[in-house]
Amino acid sequence: MALLPILRYPDPRLRTVAKPVETVDETIRPLIDDMFATMYDAPGVGLAATQVNVHLRLLVVDVSEQKDQPLVLINPEILSASGQEQSEEGCLSVPGIYEPVERAAQIRVAALDRHGTRFELDAEGMLAVCIQHEMDHLEGKLFVDYLSQIKRQRIRKKMEKRQRRAV
Ligand code: NI
């Protein structure tokens, strides 16, 4: 397993729209394992392939306290959504920034698992938020896009400054 570099906002590659995974085979499973390793190491509760510069519709999440409930969603699709809930979100691609975002409170999602088997899942609370957040990444969308332009600009400047300092 390897830790993968995570793209940081405002990297334009984060704006790429991901393509469906055609077949779930031996080439995709090492990527899934690396993504889990990278997410747990960060540490974070979710990671989309887009964030590690792989533009496939694939994401991993684990919102459990013990970090023992890994969940992979390949080609995820939201079947239904209801309610509205605001919660504080962060993102491994926008480190150190936490802002409230409004999302559907409950979702039903369909996806393929690591063996290519289709399953459906009802999610609410943090899991629902996390799945919606990661699915946005697959569309090239970031949580900062939900904020006001002024706020987003401020975050962008902060990130650019930090990256200059890191070089
Ligand atoms: Ni994110």
Side-chain angles (χ1 to χ4, degrees):
M1 267 189 286
L3 297 180
L4 308 169
I6 298 173
L7 299 180
R8 296 281 171 89
Y9 176 75
D11 192 311
R13 290 172 291 181
L14 288 167
R15 297 303 184 183
T16 313
V17 177
K19 292 193 170 67
V21 174
E22 298 281 350
T23 45
V24 180
D25 57 18
E26 287 313 319
T27 63
I28 211 83
R29 280 186 277 270
L31 170 66
I32 294 170
D33 293 336
D34 288 348
M35 283 175 61
F36 274 118
T38 304
M39 179 188 80
Y40 287 127
D41 178 74
V45 293
L47 186 70
T50 307
Q51 293 176 275
V52 293
N53 202 27
V54 176
H55 301 288
L56 292 173
R57 306 189 77 81
L58 162 64
L59 60 91
V60 298
V61 298
D62 188 344
V63 298
S64 71
E65 197 93 0
Q66 306 296 326
K67 299 291 161 215
D68 57 359
Q69 283 166 50
L71 181 65
V72 56
L73 284 84
I74 301 170
N75 300 341
E77 245 182 285
I78 291 184
L79 302 176
S80 62
S82 60
Q84 265 189 336
E85 205 170 40
Q86 198 183 58
S87 60
E88 195 110 307
E89 291 188 26
C91 179
L92 294 177
S93 293
V94 197
I97 305 291
Y98 301 90
E99 293 288 346
V101 175
E102 200 158 281
R103 305 261 187 199
Q106 294 97 21
I107 56 167
R108 183 166 183 84
V109 59
L112 303 177
D113 68 11
R114 62 183 291 135
H115 306 291
T117 307
R118 188 181 185 276
F119 67 99
E120 291 186 10
L121 174 77
D122 287 307
E124 56 177 19
M126 197 173 168
L127 181 60
V129 169
C130 192
I131 291 172
Q132 290 172 84
H133 174 120
E134 301 312 328
M135 284 183 71
D136 272 355
H137 277 300
L138 306 180
E139 303 300 333
K141 192 167 181 176
L142 292 154
F143 86 103
V144 295
D145 298 346
Y146 294 96
L147 309 176
S148 70
Q149 203 182 328
I150 289 175
K151 230 174 199 178
R152 191 163 55 247
Q153 209 76 304
R154 206 179 297 144
I155 293 167
R156 188 192 174 103
K157 284 213 178 93
K158 200 185 238 182
M159 291 294 127
E160 285 171 340
K161 207 174 183 182
R162 201 187 288 168
Q163 274 157 41
R164 272 198 303 275
R165 229 181 291 138
V167 173

